[in-house]
């Protein structure tokens, strides 16, 4: 992010030197900004337990230390009489964990925990040989069941079946860790709406600081928005009647507005050449997300095309067969894994998809009492599927234009409750398309929230400059 924003100025004076202290402070700010950004734009964001690499030194050391601790606990409890030093420390940790799950209004539960897990009293009972560790653990499990999320009920139930005290303690701490994750993720979902506004202001402030140090940091954004404006102007000029005068052409183009241009610009990010072209500065933090969505749409385009030609070849026989479309989508998804890699061979994958789709079609036709495909029909369907590799494939281009139109409509209606209708031919991939659209629009709307002042400033200049030029727009557009 910093590297991209710190490119040398082409027209302005060279940027001033940045001290190490300033760089470290900026890096810290970017790290915090990236985390807040991830929580806001990723609706599926969740905190997950850290996984140490297999066979790593850190993991081996941790396993050794943990084993030594649990072995020591087991040895203490097997003494005659038992020693409860380690067990009492664990009960203290459990007590703190349980208290951390309570809300301010949980006074009764707090009093119960404080009373039953009174460590001073527990130590006295241990010294007098009157400690009932099983009863305390039973209370802990019951309290965990009261405080845990419904998704953890099964784990709590399994705790009740463990009879040995050391494995039970280990299992309790394992479930407590899961409960901590649940609590943290609940907190994340709760603060997301407030964080969105605060994070937007924070990111805008940070970007302004970059902009002050690097005045040319909106060059790529300006080119990106200019291209989007040109696209819309050309499109609207083409739609004018042939008899329109130059004044009419200018009038048609003058309806261009900031929102329409921004939406067109964001649609262009879904067709971006990431290898050969730098990404606009304001969306650089989300480049990987836009790439991921772009790949998902490319795979969905293939799946939609394959389904369309398959249903066309099979007639009405398979359209309403439960699960058939899902099987075809699974075949396509599996065989297109790694589609973005240079080593991926699309033609070979499509040939395999054709073979498997034909086998699935014949199996399904047979199960439902229809005549199987003839060899000629199979050859035709396989050829249609392999033709998807051709960039000029008519069916692919049709499906792609409808997907783009749906996303365009989704963007335009993103602040309304009504979801735009899915265009014809996209029914079999409607669920996947809507899931992508939701993720894409969330990303776009947040970016607009952060950077709209900059976009408006750039577009103000573009629209002022464009309008007089459109009067004499050449016919070849």
């Amino acid at each position: 992010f910093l590297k991209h924003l710190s490119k040398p100025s082409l027209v302005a004076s060279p940027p001033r030197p940045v001290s190490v202290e300033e760089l470290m402070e900026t890096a810290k700010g970017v790290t915090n900004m990236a985390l807040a950004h991830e929580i806001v734009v990723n609706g599926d964001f969740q905190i997950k337990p850290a996984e140490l690499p297999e066979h790593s030194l850190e993991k081996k050391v941790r396993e050794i230390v943990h084993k030594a601790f649990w072995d020591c606990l087991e040895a203490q409890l097997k003494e005659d009489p038992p020693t409860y030093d380690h067990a009492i420390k664990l009960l203290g940790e459990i007590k703190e964990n349980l208290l951390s799950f309570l809300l301010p209004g949980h006074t009764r539960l707090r009093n119960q925990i404080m009373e039953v897990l009174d460590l001073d009293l527990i130590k006295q009972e241990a010294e007098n040989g009157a400690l009932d560790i099983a009863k305390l653990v039973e209370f802990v499990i019951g309290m965990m069941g009261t405080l845990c999320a419904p998704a953890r009920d099964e784990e709590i139930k399994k705790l009740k079946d463990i009879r040995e005290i050391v494995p039970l303690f280990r299992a309790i701490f394992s479930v407590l860790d899961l409960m901590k994750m649940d609590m943290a993720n609940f907190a994340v979902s709760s603060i997301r709406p407030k964080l969105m506004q605060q994070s937007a202001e924070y990111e805008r402030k940070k970007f302004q600081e970059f902009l002050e140090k690097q005045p040319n940091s909106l060059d790529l954004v300006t080119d990106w928005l200019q291209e989007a404006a040109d696209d819309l102007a050309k499109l609207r000029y083409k739609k004018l009647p042939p008899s329109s005068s130059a004044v009419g052409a200018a009038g048609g183009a003058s309806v261009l507005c900031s929102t329409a241009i921004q939406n067109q610009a964001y649609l262009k990010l879904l067709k971006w050449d990431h290898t050969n072209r730098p990404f606009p500065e304001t969306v650089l933090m989300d480049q990987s997300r836009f790439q991921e969505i772009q790949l998902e749409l490319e795979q969905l385009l293939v799946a939609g095309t394959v389904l369309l030609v398959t249903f066309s070849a099979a007639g009405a026989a398979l359209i309403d067969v439960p699960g058939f479309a899902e099987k075809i989508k699974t075949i396509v998804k599996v065989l297109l894994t790694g589609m973005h890699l240079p080593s991926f061979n699309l033609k070979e994958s499509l040939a395999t998809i054709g073979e498997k789709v034909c086998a699935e079609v014949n199996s399904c036709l047979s199960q439902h009492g229809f005549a199987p495909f003839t060899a000629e029909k199979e050859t035709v369907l396989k050829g249609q599927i392999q033709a998807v590799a051709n960039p000029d494939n008519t069916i692919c281009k049709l499906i792609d234009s409808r997907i783009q139109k749906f996303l365009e409509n989704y963007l335009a209606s993103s602040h309304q409750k009504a979801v735009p209708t899915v265009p014809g031919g996209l029914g079999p991939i409607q669920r996947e398309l809507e899931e992508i659209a939701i993720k894409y629009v969330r990303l776009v709307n947040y970016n607009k929230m952060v950077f709209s002042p900059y976009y408006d400033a750039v577009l103000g200049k573009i629209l002022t400059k464009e309008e007089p030029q459109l009067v004499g727009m050449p016919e070849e557009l």
Side-chain angles (χ1 to χ4, degrees), residues 48-68:
K48 295 180 180 178
E51 294 279 343
L52 292 175
E54 196 67 32
H55 307 303
S56 67
L57 178 62
E58 188 178 353
K59 185 168 185 176
K60 288 180 181 177
V61 170
R62 179 176 290 190
E63 287 173 352
I64 291 169
V65 171
H66 282 195
K67 185 177 186 303

Side-chain angles (χ1 to χ4, degrees), residues 333-367:
K333 185 174 182 179
V334 169
L335 292 174
L336 290 184
T337 301
M339 187 177 175
H340 61 293
L341 299 175
S343 59
F344 185 80
N345 190 315
L346 181 58
K347 288 185 177 180
E348 288 183 5
S349 295
L350 288 171
T352 308
I353 288 172
E355 294 284 348
K356 291 190 174 295
V357 166
C358 284
E360 193 63 47
V361 166
N362 280 325
S363 172
C364 199
L365 287 172
S366 174
Q367 287 176 13

Side-chain angles (χ1 to χ4, degrees), residues 98-128:
L98 292 177
L99 290 173
S100 72
F101 297 138
L102 299 179
L103 297 174
H106 288 160
T107 307
R108 183 179 59 82
L109 294 177
R110 184 180 302 277
N111 291 339
Q112 276 187 290
I113 294 170
M114 296 297 290
E115 181 182 339
V116 177
L117 297 180
D118 182 337
L119 296 187
D120 291 334
L121 179 60
I122 290 172
K123 287 176 184 176
Q124 290 179 18
E125 290 177 342
E127 290 168 0
N128 296 322

Side-chain angles (χ1 to χ4, degrees), residues 103-239:
L103 297 174
H106 288 160
T107 307
R108 183 179 59 82
L109 294 177
R110 184 180 302 277
N111 291 339
Q112 276 187 290
I113 294 170
M114 296 297 290
E115 181 182 339
V116 177
L117 297 180
D118 182 337
L119 296 187
D120 291 334
L121 179 60
I122 290 172
K123 287 176 184 176
Q124 290 179 18
E125 290 177 342
E127 290 168 0
N128 296 322
L131 181 62
D132 188 344
I133 196 82
K135 185 177 179 182
L136 291 175
V137 170
E138 183 182 350
F139 167 79
V140 166
I141 295 173
M143 189 59 68
M144 288 170 67
T146 301
L147 298 174
C148 74
R152 302 300 172 199
D153 287 346
E154 191 61 33
E155 278 90 347
I156 299 296
K157 185 178 178 182
K158 289 177 182 176
L159 292 178
K160 297 176 181 178
D161 296 330
I162 301 174
R163 295 288 173 253
E164 295 182 31
I165 195 67
V166 174
L168 181 53
F169 264 120
R170 297 186 69 161
I172 284 173
F173 275 95
S174 178
V175 176
L176 284 172
D177 285 341
L178 293 175
M179 290 172 65
K180 288 178 190 176
M181 292 296 114
D182 294 339
M183 194 71 162
N185 287 318
F186 173 75
V188 165
S189 63
S190 300
I191 67 170
R192 182 177 279 117
K194 186 171 181 63
L195 181 63
M196 181 175 289
Q197 185 60 45
Q198 292 181 343
S199 180
E201 292 171 1
Y202 180 67
E203 288 187 39
R204 195 180 307 118
K205 176 186 173 185
K206 285 296 175 185
F207 188 80
Q208 182 60 39
E209 291 174 6
F210 296 140
L211 196 58
E212 288 168 1
K213 293 175 184 177
Q214 301 289 339
N216 63 328
S217 292
L218 284 174
D219 288 356
L220 297 176
V221 165
T222 302
D223 292 342
W224 170 50
L225 294 175
Q226 179 69 65
E227 287 181 22
D230 292 344
D231 289 347
L232 288 183
K234 292 173 185 177
L235 183 63
R236 296 188 180 192
Y237 186 85
K238 281 183 177 181
K239 290 180 179 179

